[in-house]
Amino acid sequence: MSRNPRAPDMTVVAREDHHEAEDFEMTLAELHALMELRSVNALKKIKESYGDVFGICTRLKTSPNTVCIDNHSATEEGENEMAWIDGTAILLSVACVVLATALNDWSKEKQFRRLQHHIEKEQKFAVIRDGQVIQIPITDIVVGDIVPIKYGDLLPADGVLLQGNDLKIDESSLTGESDHVKKTLSGDPMLLSGSHVVEGSGRMVITAVGVNSQMGIILTLLGVGGEQGKERVKKKKKEQDGSPENSNKAKAQDYAATEMQPGTSEESTNGEETVNRQSNLRKKEKSVLQGKLTRLAVQIGKAGLAMSTITVVVLIVYFLIKTFLIQEHIWTAQCTPVYIKYFVKFFIIGVTVLVVAVPEGLPLAVTISLAYSVKEMMKDNNLVRHLDACETMGNATTICSDKTGTLTMNRMAVVQAFISEMHHKIIPACESIPQTTLNYLLTGISVNCAYTSKILPPEKESGLPRQVGNKTDCALLGFLLDLKQDYQAVRNQIPEEKLYKVYTFNSDRKSMSTVLKNVDGSYRMFTKGASEIVLKKCNKILNAAGKPKPFNSKDYDDIVKNVVKPMASDGLRTICLAFKDFPAGQPEPEWDNENNIIMELTCIAVVGIDDPLRPEVPDAITKCQNAGITVRMVTGDNINTARTIALKCGILHPGETFLCLEGKELNRLIRNEKGEIKQELLDKIWPKLRVLARSSPTDKHTLVKGIIDSTISEQRQVVAVTGDGTNDAPALKEADVGFAMGIAGTDVAKEASDIILTDDNFTSIVKAVMWGRNVYDSISKFLQFQLTVNVVAVIVAFVGACITQDSPLKTVQMLWVNLIMDTFASLALATEKPTESLLLRKPYGRNKPLISHTMMKNILGQAFYQLVVIFTLVFTGEKLFDIDSGRNAPLHSPPSKHYTIVFNTFVLMQLCNEINARKVHGERNVFEGIFSNAIFCAITGGTLLVQLVIVEVGGKPFSCTELTVEQWLWSLFLGIGTLLWGQLITTIPNSYLKFLTELGHGRPKEEILEAELAEGAGEIDHAERELCHGQILWFRGINRIRAQSQVVNTFRTSFYEELEKPQTQSSVRSLRKSKQ
């Protein structure tokens, strides 16, 4: 007969009297009398009073054949007395985890708010105040300001045109009409906020800002606003008198100011992205890391589920065999609740194994790494607008870069000139130039350069003159100053309002022309532009005496051969200056017929403009090439100029067979007879293409899209593109990562970009690559560390549950370990700063797994070492340290030194392995740069200190007892052993471990259904792909209905109220007129 472990002993009997009478049929006195008897006397008493031992069992309401009992045992009372310890400890541990996560989220939110505020401050606009053009934040623009506008601007307020030069506006964001609207004083002078300047220039007077502008009225009716807007509204409400009208006005003003700023309007950006995706019928898969993490999470989840299932099955089978086969107990109805409790306990153990197996700290690590990187990238002149661009840049394989301002310093100066039939290698003296030619140069450059471009005195005495405005215009104006000519005097005599007609520069014309009307009724037009294009339109040229002479095709070939090409070979941008007279007395020319107007010109001069290469660019390009990134130059310059700059900066090297093409030649090679672009033809060109000259924005978009869509390489290319103009927006949107120029870039380009280069420098792109790769490595480091802990913890929990029926690591100890490997580890490993070594390897690529062979080797190798140490200590530790065994200890017994050593050694091994996890590519020196990461050192040292406190004073809540110095040293020695073991693992070649499975592969490039695009779906969400299509459609339907109901409710409540106001009625009428 086996003794029931839950049966009452003498301590059970010593209970309150009412409990006795209620529970047992034997009194305390009877039991005392019985236990006083011995041997034969005891047997006689049992037989006389109770029949046999089974009679005693019956009176005590227990059974020798079952393990169940109905009464409250002492064990249960003991459990009740000690239950508060585990509960309180768990509560405190969970509170620590939640508070740490909340603190991180708060810090991240605060950081992103600072970033958003920085973006808002960056949005400035030029205004004319006190006769000076100054840059001010758009929120400081007031009614009555005179604002110069130019190609690429996003209008921040409503206004009326004062003077325009070939001005065309894109009002599609307001009216929905895609056609560009021409703005003239005699036609349509009304300019609306939120519209884009797509061509020309001019000046406007501000008539409405904020809530009173057309965009403000629309946003007010819709009630659109973000979190920042809501905070500002609350602040404004305190300043208002509390009336509904003032409150609504303050709210609308804030929303309008927020939404009109490029980069802050989610509605506007999402709308443009939707249109772009629907028109291209293609989804852009932006986040490489996201897809890999999703697949890895699914793989780990399946493995954890399988392990937990096996654990539950083993426990149940072990329990059934032991109880019913070995002990031969019988299942009775009385015992059913007890058995159910056992099965529930087994299920909870299985869930525990599953929870331990899943790396729930991974999202926190990703968030911390990205947030930290975005913050630090600001210091490296990278303003990140889209978070996923940060890590995507780490996988970039191609960079298509502009030349001007990115590779060069964007400080231009005329250094050579062809004037009066002479090629001057240095700036000539003004006395050597005929006065007639000099007058043409002075007037032509003064009026045919943007009036917002000017040369200002240097800020320091020894400094260079400041160039304000277009740098090419500034170079020409500087040329006049070198010739001792005063351009400002000409501009004062011919103000911008007196310009009769202006053909502004754009990527199609590649020239700019300005028409002046003379007093006698004649007209004179000055033209400047790309030398080979303008020279082809010339039929005369000024000779040495300053008189026009015929200019034929032979003369054109001579100048191109002897002047233009030598200048371009020196890396100079060549600009041709020309003019044309329209005699008086003839019918006024048809100025809209541009092709006939800009013909039969007279060449004044050809100048060579030098834009020095940034000194740090060649080294940066070399780093990119060593990192497996191909740099391509895409520029509008002459092909010879582009080739020379490419050779200087290292994009091309002498003796290489790479291609340098012009945009026209590229289109000829990649299009079929019908003019359609063929991917197979483009695939023959782009791998060898390094320089694309005289390219249009369409050519850039074609190249970027072709490289991304190409399937000739094993990995899909990840393309980064730089751009500054409005027409660069399609290429910036198409690219995996779009870089806009913060200084020279237009508002439209910035809005289409993912990252803004605040210094317009190519080296900042290289730093973005480093940070992107650092994010990737930080996640890999965290995974290597946490998966090692997970493997060890799962196996220890499994073996403990199945063999010893007890876990060597108690609940609160597991929570402390979980805190170490989740929150603390993510902070420590996700805040490593990038190093130059990141640029010494090739990009990971979209399909390379997160868990590489090297990482898998480290994970399994370290897990093997830790398991050997843990199981050795668990099963033989009491012999090794000559202490009492902690195995099979009675319930609620004091903490044992045995299991305290096991716990302490396990934690110290994790701390040392955290140092190992700093390297994921097989590096031997795991301490390299460790002291440069103060966060890592602080967390590691703090964790060690807390572990010391837990072991020494933690007591029963942590199931720990004090250890001797010798026991501490042994624990520390076994922990440091992970560092030594890591060196041994590193010596094992990966070629011997090809059988190891890599985890976290990226997804292959998949075809996206047009039906999904028609739904306006966003970027590919890999987690969403794990759901079935029915679930996807269901959630999309719910979200769409919810959004539509919100819009309807908003209009129902505020539309008619707003229409009652006179100012709103007039504004709406003006909006309707603009639509018509």
Side-chain angles (χ1 to χ4, degrees):
M1 180 180 68
S2 62
R3 182 183 181 274
N4 182 3
R6 296 171 62 91
D9 56 15
M10 292 308 299
T11 60
V12 180
V13 181
R15 294 190 293 179
E16 297 181 4
D17 294 339
H18 73 276
H19 227 147
E20 289 181 24
E22 179 182 348
D23 292 339
F24 300 124
E25 297 177 3
M26 293 180 67
T27 64
L28 181 61
E30 290 177 344
L31 287 174
H32 272 300
L34 177 62
M35 298 308 296
E36 292 292 333
L37 301 177
R38 296 292 183 271
S39 186
V40 178
N41 294 331
L43 289 174
K44 182 179 179 182
K45 177 63 175 178
I46 291 173
K47 186 173 182 180
E48 290 176 354
S49 302
Y50 312 109
D52 54 18
V53 177
F54 294 98
I56 296 178
C57 292
T58 303
R59 290 171 180 257
L60 292 178
K61 295 185 177 180
T62 186
S63 172
N65 296 321
T66 62
V67 294
C68 56
I69 188 169
D70 288 339
N71 61 335
H72 298 281
S73 66
T75 303
E76 290 174 328
E77 285 190 351
E79 290 176 356
N80 293 334
E81 292 174 2
M82 304 304 297
W84 71 272
I85 295 180
D86 279 350
T88 304
I90 291 172
L91 182 62
L92 291 175
S93 301
V94 171
C96 290
V97 174
V98 171
L99 288 175
T101 305
L103 181 63
N104 173 71
D105 290 343
W106 173 81
S107 175
K108 178 191 69 176
E109 183 67 21
K110 185 178 179 181
Q111 174 186 324
F112 286 151
R113 286 183 184 276
R114 280 201 304 266
L115 180 63
Q116 184 71 19
H117 181 63
H118 182 82
I119 293 175
E120 290 180 7
K121 289 197 303 182
E122 288 290 318
Q123 300 302 321
K124 295 185 177 181
F125 213 85
V127 299
I128 301 175
R129 291 181 179 175
D130 298 328
Q132 298 293 323
V133 179
I134 60 174
Q135 295 282 334
I136 65 172
I138 63 174
T139 52
D140 292 344
I141 295 176
V142 297
V143 173
D145 271 335
I146 305 300
V147 176
I149 56 177
K150 63 184 183 303
Y151 163 76
D153 283 343
L154 177 66
L155 299 186
D158 292 352
V160 179
L161 184 66
L162 293 176
Q163 176 265 328
N165 303 318
D166 197 24
L167 189 63
K168 292 182 180 179
I169 304 294
D170 178 8
E171 297 181 347
S172 59
S173 60
L174 291 172
T175 65
E177 299 293 335
S178 59
D179 294 337
H180 297 163
V181 181
K182 189 171 184 178
K183 299 292 182 178
T184 60
L185 292 173
S186 58
D188 181 6
M190 306 307 294
L191 300 172
L192 306 178
S193 59
S195 54
H196 293 127
V197 181
V198 294
E199 191 171 331
S201 61
R203 289 185 298 163
M204 64 182 283
V205 57
I206 300 298
T207 58
V209 297
V211 68
N212 297 310
S213 66
Q214 294 299 314
M215 181 63 75
I217 292 171
I218 294 174
L219 296 176
T220 301
L221 296 178
L222 291 176
V224 178
E227 291 299 324
Q228 289 184 336
K230 293 177 182 177
E231 290 184 0
R232 293 176 186 168
V233 170
K234 292 178 181 178
K235 186 176 179 181
K236 285 178 178 287
K237 283 182 178 179
K238 295 179 181 179
E239 300 172 358
Q240 301 292 334
D241 59 7
S243 64
E245 181 178 353
N246 287 336
S247 298
N248 289 336
K249 186 172 182 179
K251 181 178 180 179
Q253 283 177 336
D254 179 71
Y255 288 162
T258 302
E259 288 296 316
M260 285 186 293
Q261 296 181 20
T264 63
S265 172
E266 295 181 3
E267 297 291 331
S268 175
T269 305
N270 291 340
E272 291 182 8
E273 289 177 349
T274 301
V275 172
N276 186 55
R277 284 192 294 268
Q278 290 177 344
S279 60
N280 291 320
L281 290 179
R282 189 179 75 85
K283 272 188 184 178
K284 184 166 67 171
E285 185 179 355
K286 299 257 329 177
S287 179
V288 180
L289 184 61
Q290 179 188 0
K292 294 183 178 182
L293 287 174
T294 301
R295 298 201 73 191
L296 179 63
V298 171
Q299 291 170 339
I300 294 176
K302 290 178 180 178
L305 182 61
M307 198 70 181
S308 64
T309 303
I310 293 173
T311 302
V312 174
V313 171
V314 169
L315 287 172
I316 293 175
V317 171
Y318 179 82
F319 172 77
L320 295 176
I321 292 175
K322 180 180 178 181
T323 304
F324 299 108
L325 294 181
I326 298 177
Q327 298 180 352
E328 299 181 351
H329 294 161
I330 301 173
W331 187 304
T332 64
Q334 183 183 9
C335 298
T336 300
V338 177
Y339 295 148
I340 291 177
K341 288 181 181 180
Y342 272 96
F343 294 147
V344 170
K345 177 184 177 182
F346 298 152
F347 177 75
I348 292 174
I349 293 174
V351 172
T352 303
V353 172
L354 178 61
V355 170
V356 171
V358 175
E360 64 272 15
L362 187 57
L364 180 63
V366 174
T367 301
I368 291 176
S369 182
L370 287 175
Y372 175 75
S373 299
V374 168
K375 178 182 178 182
E376 294 299 315
M377 287 174 72
M378 281 285 297
K379 301 175 184 177
D380 288 336
N381 303 308
N382 284 273
L383 180 60
V384 180
R385 297 182 69 249
H386 298 149
L387 202 59
D388 56 0
C390 178
E391 54 92 359
T392 302
M393 195 59 205
N395 292 278
T397 57
T398 293
I399 299 176
C400 295
S401 174
D402 286 341
K403 177 183 76 68
T404 304
T406 308
L407 301 176
T408 61
M409 298 179 65
N410 202 22
R411 181 176 180 85
M412 301 186 187
V414 175
V415 295
Q416 295 185 27
F418 177 79
I419 306 175
S420 303
E421 300 183 308
M422 287 190 62
H423 185 182
H424 301 273
K425 292 297 182 81
I426 59 173
I427 302 299
C430 62
E431 295 81 8
S432 64
I433 302 175
Q435 189 61 42
T436 307
T437 303
L438 200 59
N439 291 338
Y440 282 131
L441 283 173
L442 176 60
T443 307
I445 293 176
S446 299
V447 302
N448 198 33
C449 289
Y451 275 53
T452 54
S453 299
K454 57 185 68 176
I455 305 294
L456 298 179
E459 294 180 350
K460 300 179 181 179
E461 291 185 7
S462 59
L464 296 172
R466 289 180 292 155
Q467 295 183 344
V468 179
N470 183 277
K471 302 304 180 182
T472 303
D473 291 348
C474 289
L476 295 174
L477 295 174
F479 178 52
L480 290 180
L481 296 178
D482 292 337
L483 295 176
K484 298 182 172 59
Q485 304 298 309
D486 185 7
Y487 69 86
Q488 191 59 48
V490 176
R491 290 183 171 183
N492 293 337
Q493 183 181 356
I494 310 174
E496 194 172 5
E497 303 85 46
K498 290 188 177 181
L499 302 181
Y500 190 79
K501 176 71 175 177
V502 177
Y503 300 95
T504 56
F505 178 88
N506 61 34
S507 56
D508 295 326
R509 292 192 184 106
K510 295 197 179 297
S511 65
M512 177 180 177
S513 301
T514 300
V515 180
L516 301 177
K517 186 175 183 179
N518 300 320
V519 179
D520 60 358
S522 63
Y523 300 92
R524 174 168 290 172
M525 179 180 70
F526 291 96
T527 298
K528 74 174 189 294
S531 56
E532 61 268 38
I533 294 176
V534 175
L535 280 173
K536 283 184 178 180
K537 298 180 179 180
C538 293
N539 62 356
K540 296 179 182 178
I541 188 172
L542 296 182
N543 59 18
K547 301 294 183 182
K549 76 169 190 176
F551 183 77
N552 54 35
S553 58
K554 182 179 181 300
D555 297 326
Y556 170 83
D557 294 336
D558 290 341
I559 288 184
V560 170
K561 179 181 178 181
N562 299 320
V563 177
V564 176
K565 286 187 175 181
M567 285 184 179
S569 298
D570 292 337
L572 305 181
R573 171 184 288 184
T574 56
I575 301 292
C576 179
L577 305 172
F579 75 96
K580 179 180 181 180
D581 286 324
F582 298 87
Q586 296 183 0
E588 184 172 351
E590 296 182 8
W591 300 112
D592 291 337
N593 191 348
E594 184 180 338
N595 291 331
N596 290 335
I597 295 296
I598 308 179
M599 290 294 292
E600 300 179 352
L601 306 176
T602 300
C603 176
I604 303 172
V606 176
V607 297
I609 298 177
D610 181 33
D611 186 8
L613 190 70
R614 292 183 184 269
E616 64 273 16
V617 163
D619 182 52
I621 290 179
T622 301
K623 290 178 181 178
C624 285
Q625 292 169 344
N626 292 336
I629 302 173
T630 301
V631 181
R632 294 179 169 87
M633 180 194 296
V634 182
T635 179
D637 271 351
N638 178 288
I639 189 170
N640 294 314
T641 304
R643 184 185 291 111
T644 301
I645 297 296
L647 286 169
K648 287 182 178 180
C649 66
I651 293 177
L652 293 175
H653 295 92
E656 290 181 335
T657 58
F658 292 122
L659 296 177
C660 297
L661 297 176
E662 290 188 341
K664 291 182 179 178
E665 180 68 10
L666 175 68
N667 280 282
R668 186 184 66 81
L669 293 174
I670 65 174
R671 296 180 184 270
N672 59 13
E673 302 80 15
K674 299 180 181 179
E676 299 171 339
I677 298 174
K678 290 296 182 181
Q679 184 65 44
E680 57 270 20
L681 296 177
L682 184 57
D683 287 341
K684 297 178 181 178
I685 301 298
W686 73 260
K688 291 188 175 182
L689 182 65
R690 291 297 180 270
V691 176
L692 183 62
R694 290 293 182 223
S695 67
S696 66
T698 304
D699 298 332
K700 180 187 284 189
H701 180 268
T702 299
L703 177 62
V704 171
K705 187 176 185 300
I707 295 176
I708 292 176
D709 290 344
S710 177
T711 57
I712 60 174
S713 56
E714 294 182 2
Q715 303 278 353
R716 178 174 94 66
Q717 298 288 306
V718 179
V719 182
V721 173
T722 67
D724 55 7
T726 299
N727 289 340
D728 288 329
L732 292 172
K733 283 281 189 182
E734 185 70 31
D736 293 288
V737 181
F739 287 88
M741 303 296 106
I743 300 174
T746 63
D747 292 337
V748 178
K750 293 176 184 178
E751 192 173 359
S753 68
D754 300 297
I755 299 175
I756 298 175
L757 298 178
T758 57
D759 62 346
D760 291 9
N761 196 335
F762 183 84
T763 55
S764 298
I765 301 177
V766 180
K767 292 176 182 176
V769 173
M770 290 174 59
W771 276 109
R773 294 189 174 188
N774 189 63
V775 168
Y776 204 98
D777 275 9
S778 295
I779 305 305
S780 297
K781 293 171 185 177
F782 176 76
L783 279 172
Q784 178 173 297
F785 171 73
Q786 190 177 50
L787 291 181
T788 302
V789 184
N790 285 5
V791 169
V792 175
V794 166
I795 294 177
V796 168
F798 174 79
V799 173
C802 297
I803 296 179
T804 67
Q805 296 291 302
D806 187 21
S807 176
L809 299 176
K810 308 305 178 184
T811 305
V812 181
Q813 294 174 352
M814 286 298 294
L815 286 171
W816 169 238
V817 172
N818 203 52
L819 188 66
I820 294 174
M821 72 181 189
D822 281 355
T823 306
F824 293 163
S826 59
L827 280 170
L829 295 174
T831 53
E832 294 270 359
K833 291 188 176 181
T835 62
E836 294 287 339
S837 61
L838 291 169
L839 299 177
L840 300 179
R841 57 174 175 79
K842 305 303 180 185
Y844 276 120
R846 286 186 174 268
N847 297 330
K848 190 170 182 180
L850 268 175
I851 310 298
S852 63
H853 275 117
T854 301
M855 292 174 61
M856 186 63 73
K857 176 180 68 176
N858 293 336
I859 291 170
L860 297 181
Q862 290 292 344
F864 174 78
Y865 171 82
Q866 293 185 22
L867 288 172
V868 169
V869 171
I870 292 297
F871 288 137
T872 300
L873 292 177
V874 168
F875 294 107
T876 64
E878 71 276 13
K879 299 177 182 177
L880 296 175
F881 292 97
D882 192 21
I883 54 179
D884 293 334
S885 174
R887 296 190 310 278
N888 302 319
L891 196 61
H892 299 300
S893 60
S896 65
K897 284 184 176 291
H898 182 193
Y899 274 10
T900 301
I901 293 174
V902 173
F903 166 62
N904 195 40
T905 304
F906 180 75
V907 171
L908 293 179
M909 286 193 295
Q910 306 318 315
L911 285 179
C912 293
N913 191 41
E914 194 169 349
I915 300 175
N916 276 329
R918 295 183 65 248
K919 304 298 179 182
V920 292
H921 299 293
E923 302 94 333
R924 283 196 173 275
N925 187 3
V926 295
F927 293 97
E928 181 183 2
I930 190 172
F931 295 111
S932 63
N933 187 353
I935 297 177
F936 183 92
C937 295
I939 288 177
T940 304
T943 304
L944 181 60
L945 183 62
V946 174
Q947 177 66 16
L948 176 65
V949 173
I950 288 175
V951 171
E952 294 302 317
V953 300
K956 195 157 189 176
F958 285 91
S959 301
C960 291
T961 187
E962 297 179 5
L963 298 181
T964 64
V965 174
E966 181 184 1
Q967 291 164 351
W968 264 102
L969 290 176
W970 274 108
S971 298
L972 187 60
F973 171 75
L974 294 173
I976 295 175
T978 61
L979 297 172
L980 303 176
W981 183 256
Q983 296 298 309
L984 180 61
I985 295 174
T986 305
T987 60
I988 303 175
N990 287 345
S991 57
Y992 293 170
L993 304 171
K994 291 183 179 180
F995 61 88
L996 293 179
T997 303
E998 298 174 311
L999 297 176
H1001 290 267
R1003 287 185 175 273
K1005 193 165 62 174
E1006 299 176 8
E1007 201 69 32
I1008 308 302
L1009 297 176
E1010 294 185 7
E1012 289 184 64
L1013 291 167
E1015 290 292 326
E1019 294 168 0
I1020 297 173
D1021 186 347
H1022 296 278
E1024 182 183 85
R1025 280 189 173 180
E1026 298 298 328
L1027 302 173
C1028 65
H1029 288 286
Q1031 290 172 309
I1032 295 173
L1033 295 175
W1034 171 252
F1035 286 120
R1036 285 180 183 169
I1038 290 177
N1039 290 333
R1040 178 166 296 181
I1041 292 171
R1042 183 181 303 155
Q1044 290 173 347
S1045 64
Q1046 289 173 351
V1047 172
V1048 171
N1049 291 334
T1050 301
F1051 269 97
R1052 184 188 305 164
T1053 55
S1054 62
F1055 182 76
Y1056 296 103
E1057 294 176 1
E1058 199 67 23
L1059 284 179
E1060 294 298 325
K1061 300 177 183 179
Q1063 66 270 28
T1064 305
Q1065 293 176 353
S1066 61
S1067 299
V1068 174
R1069 284 196 294 270
S1070 63
L1071 177 62
R1072 289 171 178 168
K1073 290 180 181 179
S1074 67
K1075 289 184 177 181
Q1076 294 173 356

